[in-house]
Amino acid sequence: QVQLVESGGGLVQAGGSLRLSCAASTRTFSTYAMGWFRQAPGKEREFVAAISWNGGSTKYADSVKGRFTISRDNAKNTVFLQMNSLEPEGTTVYYCNAVRLPTMTPLGSWGQGTQVTVSS
């Protein structure tokens, strides 16, 4: 059972950058592919990015490809999401979760996420 805590959100101006972190409770984190998702008010949660258990492969939603980078440090039980060229559409809550590849289906329960606000 892996408990995940997202952090790193905040207020940023359009075009700016943020790096989100997702910290896991145990080293079993290293056995899971991990993904980032986001959910805006009134909309369904959507896939953003995913990374394989060993970091060997990544996948991105078309909406963020070229701007966001997912990475992980299994020694630190942490997955990151570097977000560059942020747009107002990115104003939402970001969540991390273990995912099933290649469909990116989330496997665990959802945490509280971290809020990202992009000002125009």
Side-chain angles (χ1 to χ4, degrees), residues 35-51:
W36 284 96
F37 301 78
R38 64 186 181 187
Q39 185 173 28
K43 296 185 179 296
E44 296 184 354
R45 202 187 313 265
E46 65 176 353
F47 165 76
V48 175
I51 187 168

Side-chain angles (χ1 to χ4, degrees), residues 12-34:
V12 64
Q13 195 170 22
S17 300
L18 284 174
R19 189 174 78 155
L20 307 183
S21 298
C22 175
S25 60
T26 71
R27 289 298 303 273
T28 57
F29 161 86
S30 64
T31 68
Y32 296 94
M34 297 295 298

Side-chain angles (χ1 to χ4, degrees), residues 6-22 35-39 46-50 60-61 63-71 79-96 113-119:
E6 301 94 339
S7 63
L11 175 64
V12 64
Q13 195 170 22
S17 300
L18 284 174
R19 189 174 78 155
L20 307 183
S21 298
C22 175
W36 284 96
F37 301 78
R38 64 186 181 187
Q39 185 173 28
E46 65 176 353
F47 165 76
V48 175
Y60 299 91
S63 60
V64 305
K65 193 172 185 178
R67 300 186 296 116
F68 289 12
T69 302
I70 188 171
S71 61
V79 62
F80 305 95
L81 184 67
Q82 177 66 47
M83 306 186 296
N84 299 327
S85 301
L86 282 165
E87 301 172 346
E89 291 81 1
T91 297
T92 185
V93 179
Y94 286 74
Y95 303 86
C96 66
T114 185
Q115 175 72 50
V116 172
T117 302
V118 184
S119 62

Side-chain angles (χ1 to χ4, degrees), residues 33 35 37 47 50 97-108 110:
F37 301 78
F47 165 76
N97 210 332
V99 297
R100 181 186 301 276
L101 298 176
T103 62
M104 315 308 169
T105 303
L107 298 176
W110 298 105

